[in-house]
Amino acid sequence: MADFRIEQALSEMRATGTPQQSPQRQTDGPPVEEFSNLLRQAVEQVNGRQVDAESLRDAYMRGEDVSLTDVMITAQKAQISFEAMKEVRNRFLEAYEEIRNMQV
């Protein structure tokens, strides 16, 4: 669902913007990653942390040799990374709204 909203926001930005020429990329410098790729990687990392936390919790509930402290620490890391991602999303959408409402 979050991936859909990101793609929707990016497509709206592309649709409302004027066609611009893409800047020339330097061939001798480090490669430049696109913002959408970086954003997708961040979402995948947060999702990975949530999956790890859930699998540790399930293993603990099944009685496997998993420490409760490991379960709690992993769950907290997943929660904090999700909250951080949510805050970045909110600020990104606020900036998008501000840019969209600008008078040209």
Side-chain angles (χ1 to χ4, degrees), residues 8-78:
Q8 182 182 11
L10 288 174
S11 66
E12 286 179 14
M13 288 175 65
R14 288 183 189 118
T16 58
T18 59
Q20 298 176 356
Q21 294 179 352
S22 60
Q24 296 286 334
R25 293 189 179 187
Q26 297 176 352
T27 56
D28 54 343
V32 178
E33 293 190 54
E34 291 194 25
F35 178 73
S36 61
N37 290 338
L38 293 174
L39 193 58
R40 182 170 286 120
Q41 289 172 359
V43 170
E44 288 172 357
Q45 285 178 344
V46 170
N47 185 46
R49 285 193 175 138
Q50 289 180 333
V51 168
D52 290 344
E54 185 177 345
S55 65
L56 271 178
R57 186 195 69 211
D58 291 344
Y60 180 78
M61 296 297 283
R62 286 190 302 266
E64 295 178 13
D65 189 26
V66 178
S67 170
L68 178 61
T69 56
D70 290 340
V71 173
M72 295 305 294
I73 289 172
T74 305
Q76 286 296 313
K77 284 181 180 180

Side-chain angles (χ1 to χ4, degrees), residues 74-89:
T74 305
Q76 286 296 313
K77 284 181 180 180
Q79 181 181 1
I80 290 170
S81 63
F82 180 76
E83 292 294 326
M85 181 190 66
K86 198 166 66 169
E87 188 64 33
V88 168
R89 181 210 58 186

